[in-house]
Amino acid sequence: MDDPLIQALPPATDYLTYLTLLEYQLTPKRLPLLHTLLQDEKLTTNIGWDLVKLLLPMLPASTECLQDVARLGNPREVILRVSESLMQLQPEDADEDEKAGQGLPLHILQFNCLLGMLSVLHTRIQTKAPSRFIATSLQAALEAYATMVTNETTLAFLEFFREVSPSKRPAPPPRTASESSVLKVAAASAPDPEAEVSTPSPSTDNETLLVRKFIQFGLLELLKSYLLSFSSPMDPGMSWTIRMQEHLHPDLRLPGTKSQTDAYGSTKELKERDMVMGKLMALSRDVGIDNEELLSIISGPPTDQTAPLDFDEPPINPNQIPLERHGSLLLLAARAAGATLFTSGQPLRQVSVFPELSQIFNNFVGGHTNLDEVAFGQPHALLDSLLALTVYALQTPIEFPSSDTEFKDFVIILTACTSRQSHGIVRQIPAAIVQSHPSAETRFKLIYKILEDDHLASARDSAIAWLKDEILRSPQSADNIFQDPLYFWALLPALFKPVTAASSSSDLVASWSRLTQIQGPPLHSALNLYYLLLSSPSLRDRLQLDKTSKFFRNHVLNPLRQVFQSFEDDLTAKGGEGVIEAAVGEEMCQIGNARSIGLIGLTLDQIEETSSDAFGSDEGDLGEFSEAEEAKVSEIRKKVDIWE
């Protein structure tokens, strides 16, 4: 007996009735039969548009039927239904969304199938304005993609862009499991029953440009979503900056540790990221995204950027389709990294540190009064891209900045971008800019500014490192301000900010937290520097540290001893009330005391012993700067606080 799906075929029933029958009678077992029936072009043209929603939940078994709909259905109607399905597509909870096929969740298979259908449908439509259909599909696909960013969905999207591009190139064969998940339809398609023109290619140069600009726009939006998906604290992202530094400065790699370059060459997940980014960058060149245009976009002030694309009123002029500035930055940085790391990378013109890079940083992370807003408040992908461009720019000599203020502002914001990076090879980047300035006076002013300004606290550790490098590498000469005792004395109070004992229980906890979490690292660095200078007889004499010893004992050593004693007196093991332990937990209290307070205390012991050996323990034996010298120091402080 014939199957009901065969018996009810039009003209035995009308198409609406037949669709109703399919809704109730279609099962996974009947999908091969439906696939056979859909080879009837007339049938598929009339019912295909309404089968999309019915067939999507049955993937992957319904793949062939959905391909039939894309090849033989009315492309204009089916495109609208596919776009509608994409807008409604939502990832299921991990527990509910079982692996449907190829080890992938159902929503991923559905997204990839719908994108594959769009690739076929857009090549079938013969219209004078294909950009209108591209705009509809692009809006839906981008919204769906943003909720399910994976390597598989990214590759499917890139394949869609390649298929609809006016300058389409043949697709290379798949090399990874992620690439094999991309749906490609090989069977022939039916012509457009409502064709407006004789060929499916854009009918005017303007339409060609519109389609290409839509693809450029979509590609940058895709890139943003892809890179921002690597947002967990432990995710390395693309690690452009680290890998570029390792490639250009192999001497800076830590011996005996696995480099990020090694990780991206051996870890499957990270290798796939490089593969995806390679395809994306190749496609970006194919569709004509120009480096100079990207550089122009990111160099302009944010207020000058074109308004966001309005999909409700699709533009009729390519210039009305903006390339978003963050996506432009991410792509330009990826190209800079590719040109540095891979032989296949295509070089872009050199970006100058001053004024170009300085302006770019100001456009994206400038204007913050609190540097932690940059270090903690910006996406890792944005910071990595800015720093990767910096590494690329540093491969050529640094041009002289237009003013000391431009130099200061750029170094400070660059340092903020590196201050919370876990790799020392990244935190060293600002030092190259600092050392490039020919004026020792300007470099001193910069270090003084950071140490003196509490708003720049997160850059203190870096500034102390620069100061150490300046003192140790500077030649001994009369005009060397970094080995001038008066300049060092002018800097010392800023190097060691006052620390006072708490006056209440709440203040005690706050003081302990500040010292162990924020003030500890730069304070330890400052103490280490002072100890290093004390330990060198030549530097000790040259900087006249005997005249600073009284200040250090009264304003640094003794106050810190008092603060540390208050922490110790609070410990329950010492008979204290345990206020700190109650607030932060006993284990955290032990860790903070050992890693921060314990290390600082050990350095204080070393300084005290070395100072006593060098200058004696009697304050009466210690020298002091004369009134004339103090007057000069006041003039130095006034002078270094002026920026032009």
Side-chain angles (χ1 to χ4, degrees), residues 45 47 51 97 152 202 224 241 263 281 314 355 379 406 434 441 466 470 494 616:
T45 297
I47 70 170
L51 290 179
D97 197 2
E152 290 79 15
K224 279 197 305 181
T241 308
M281 287 191 283
E406 181 187 19
V434 175
E441 186 89 28
W466 306 334
E470 291 283 4

Side-chain angles (χ1 to χ4, degrees), residues 88 101 237 292 297 305 314 353 368 395 398 466 545 592:
Q88 297 171 353
E292 288 301 320
I297 291 169
Q305 301 298 313
V353 173
H368 294 283
Q395 294 180 56
I398 301 173
W466 306 334
L545 294 187

Side-chain angles (χ1 to χ4, degrees), residues 138 208-218 287 293 317-323:
L138 184 59
T208 301
L209 295 175
L210 273 170
V211 170
R212 178 177 287 115
K213 198 64 180 288
F214 269 123
I215 295 172
Q216 293 177 355
F217 167 86
V287 299
E293 182 180 10
N317 188 311
N319 294 329
Q320 296 173 315
I321 305 175
L323 297 184

Side-chain angles (χ1 to χ4, degrees), residues 247-268:
H247 178 80
L248 295 169
H249 308 287
D251 55 304
L252 296 180
R253 293 190 187 187
L254 291 176
T257 60
K258 185 176 182 179
S259 68
Q260 283 296 91
T261 303
D262 295 334
Y264 279 80
S266 59
T267 306
K268 178 183 176 183

Side-chain angles (χ1 to χ4, degrees), residues 9 28 61 80 87 164 202 223 263-264 293 366 395 427 453 475 507 514 531 626 638:
L9 277 170
L80 294 177
M87 298 279 269
V164 300
L223 174 61
Y264 279 80
E293 182 180 10
Q395 294 180 56
R427 294 196 301 273
D453 192 337
D507 286 347
R514 276 196 307 272
Y531 174 63
S626 65
K638 291 178 183 178

Side-chain angles (χ1 to χ4, degrees), residues 67-324:
Q67 290 178 346
D68 295 334
V69 171
R71 292 189 305 108
L72 305 174
N74 185 315
R76 297 156 192 266
E77 294 175 345
V78 177
I79 273 184
L80 294 177
R81 187 51 57 93
V82 168
S83 297
E84 181 183 301
S85 298
L86 280 168
M87 298 279 269
Q88 297 171 353
L89 195 59
Q90 292 292 333
E92 302 291 340
D93 293 336
D95 294 337
E96 299 176 10
D97 197 2
E98 298 178 359
K99 304 296 182 181
Q102 299 176 308
L104 298 175
L106 178 59
H107 66 273
I108 301 295
L109 289 180
Q110 291 174 334
F111 179 88
N112 288 4
C113 182
L114 291 170
L115 265 289
M117 292 177 70
L118 286 177
S119 298
V120 175
L121 293 162
H122 280 287
T123 57
R124 290 182 58 204
I125 288 183
Q126 300 180 30
T127 175
K128 295 177 181 178
S131 63
R132 291 180 303 169
F133 292 93
I134 291 287
T136 300
S137 299
L138 184 59
Q139 180 185 17
L142 286 172
E143 287 195 18
Y145 175 76
T147 67
M148 55 188 78
V149 180
T150 67
N151 286 341
E152 290 79 15
T153 54
T154 306
L155 289 168
F157 217 145
L158 292 176
E159 178 63 16
F160 165 70
F161 283 138
R162 190 192 66 81
E163 285 286 350
V164 300
S165 171
S167 53
K168 183 173 77 171
R169 294 190 182 188
R175 293 176 293 175
T176 67
S178 298
E179 291 180 279
S180 63
S181 67
V182 176
L183 179 66
K184 297 181 181 180
V185 181
S189 300
D192 181 359
E194 302 176 37
E196 298 173 5
V197 291
S198 58
T199 63
S201 60
S203 57
T204 65
D205 289 340
N206 190 62
E207 273 299 309
T208 301
L209 295 175
L210 273 170
V211 170
R212 178 177 287 115
K213 198 64 180 288
F214 269 123
I215 295 172
Q216 293 177 355
F217 167 86
L219 199 57
L220 292 186
E221 295 298 313
L222 174 78
L223 174 61
K224 279 197 305 181
S225 295
Y226 184 65
L227 293 184
L228 289 174
S229 70
F230 310 134
S231 58
S232 66
M234 300 305 294
D235 195 306
M238 293 307 302
S239 296
W240 293 135
T241 308
I242 300 171
R243 289 197 281 168
M244 291 172 75
Q245 282 285 82
E246 290 176 346
H247 178 80
L248 295 169
H249 308 287
D251 55 304
L252 296 180
R253 293 190 187 187
L254 291 176
T257 60
K258 185 176 182 179
S259 68
Q260 283 296 91
T261 303
D262 295 334
Y264 279 80
S266 59
T267 306
K268 178 183 176 183
E269 179 185 2
L270 300 181
K271 287 174 69 176
E272 284 215 344
R273 288 184 190 180
D274 271 349
M275 177 272 297
V276 172
M277 286 300 299
K279 285 181 172 291
L280 192 152
M281 287 191 283
L283 184 59
S284 73
R285 292 190 293 268
D286 290 345
V287 299
I289 300 181
D290 180 66
N291 288 334
E292 288 301 320
E293 182 180 10
L294 296 176
L295 192 56
S296 173
I297 291 169
I298 66 176
S299 298
T303 53
D304 291 352
Q305 301 298 313
T306 310
L309 180 60
D310 184 1
F311 280 103
D312 293 331
E313 296 184 14
I316 57 175
N317 188 311
N319 294 329
Q320 296 173 315
I321 305 175
L323 297 184
E324 202 276 330

